Amino acid sequence: MALHNRIVLLGPPGSGKGTQGAILAERMGIQEISAGELLRAEARTDSDLGREVASYINEGRLVPSELIVHLMKQAFLAPENSNGFISDGFPRSVEQAEILHEMEEGPEFNGKKIDLVLLIDVPDDYILQRILGRTQCATCGTFYHDTFKPTKVAGVCDVCGGKEFAKRADDTEETVVSRLRIYREATAPLIPYYENKGLLVRVDGTGPIDAVSERIKEIVKY
């Protein structure tokens, strides 16, 4: 049995949270719960809550913490997640963390609380290099990286043989710097918050994906 099974993933944009969360979830046999995906899925429904969430998303406004917490609470308490989960993108602020902590003290959680906050630690200059070097095959969508994952034959997709490549529109230095600034202002305060609770463990997020996964394995003990 894993040493931890209710895990929050923290880290700046481009740190590899999504990739490592998916790997960890598969290896542990539990679900990765993405706040962003839950919000988008709810927005596609015709419920009152779905229409409310959709209005925020469509107008480019931040979804209030109360709505996000409500959706995440439902996911955390769902029967299929009774053996644990990995939370990616929640909590995103100290405000959300405090609301979650209050809920965990209630009878619904029955003592099952977040037991590990895993910070995937990556310096800003490394993130810039990682994101700005990303390219994608325009034909089949396979991702590559100028430094970390180049094509075997220069200019030719390994999968489909396509020769046209494109970068994501938001993979610009200006956009990345802006996202990092927002992370530092809104989300990074969670680091001392969870350190003070004795839940936070840092893991070096640089290097190959497999190497980072092995570091995480040593912490989680799955």
Side-chain angles (χ1 to χ4, degrees):
M1 185 174 180
L3 182 61
H4 304 283
N5 61 1
R6 286 174 173 77
I7 301 168
V8 168
L9 288 182
L10 281 183
S15 62
K17 290 194 308 299
T19 298
Q20 294 300 333
I23 292 171
L24 186 56
E26 182 179 2
R27 291 181 176 178
M28 293 181 67
I30 58 179
Q31 288 198 66
E32 180 184 19
I33 304 172
S34 164
E37 289 181 10
L38 277 182
L39 287 170
R40 288 187 288 272
E42 188 66 34
R44 290 193 292 269
T45 70
D46 194 37
S47 66
D48 290 341
L49 179 60
R51 288 190 292 272
E52 185 176 1
V53 171
S55 70
Y56 283 100
I57 294 174
N58 294 337
E59 294 169 15
R61 295 183 291 154
L62 289 176
V63 179
S65 290
E66 291 76 10
L67 293 184
I68 298 172
V69 171
H70 174 73
L71 288 173
M72 295 302 287
K73 177 184 177 182
Q74 288 182 324
F76 289 173
L77 295 176
E80 62 268 26
N81 294 323
S82 61
N83 291 327
F85 52 79
I86 296 164
S87 179
D88 177 12
F90 176 86
R92 197 176 289 271
S93 67
V94 171
E95 177 194 20
Q96 292 178 5
E98 289 178 337
I99 296 172
L100 172 61
H101 177 69
E102 288 178 11
M103 289 193 307
E104 287 179 327
E105 296 298 319
E108 290 177 288
F109 278 80
N110 195 28
K112 295 180 178 180
K113 304 177 182 181
I114 299 297
D115 55 35
L116 174 66
V117 177
L118 197 60
L119 172 63
I120 301 180
D121 212 1
V122 184
D124 287 3
D125 57 349
Y126 191 90
I127 288 172
L128 278 167
Q129 181 188 14
R130 178 182 281 175
I131 293 178
L132 297 182
R134 292 192 302 204
T135 57
Q136 184 178 21
C137 175
T139 304
C140 70
T142 301
F143 279 98
Y144 296 96
H145 192 280
D146 297 344
T147 303
F148 305 124
K149 190 188 173 184
T151 55
K152 294 176 182 176
V153 177
V156 180
C157 176
D158 298 348
V159 177
C160 72
K163 296 182 179 180
E164 296 292 328
F165 295 85
K167 289 183 177 290
R168 282 174 40 175
D170 59 347
D171 279 357
T172 66
E173 184 169 355
E174 182 181 5
T175 301
V176 176
V177 169
S178 175
R179 289 170 65 198
L180 288 170
R181 177 183 54 79
I182 292 170
Y183 166 79
R184 284 192 293 269
E185 291 174 355
T187 306
L190 283 169
I191 297 171
Y193 176 86
Y194 280 119
E195 280 180 328
N196 290 336
K197 290 185 176 295
L199 293 174
L200 188 118
V201 178
R202 297 172 184 262
V203 60
D204 179 3
T206 62
I209 290 171
D210 289 347
V212 179
S213 296
E214 285 303 307
R215 294 171 198 147
I216 291 173
K217 181 177 181 179
E218 288 300 309
I219 296 167
V220 179
K221 305 294 184 186
Y222 58 82

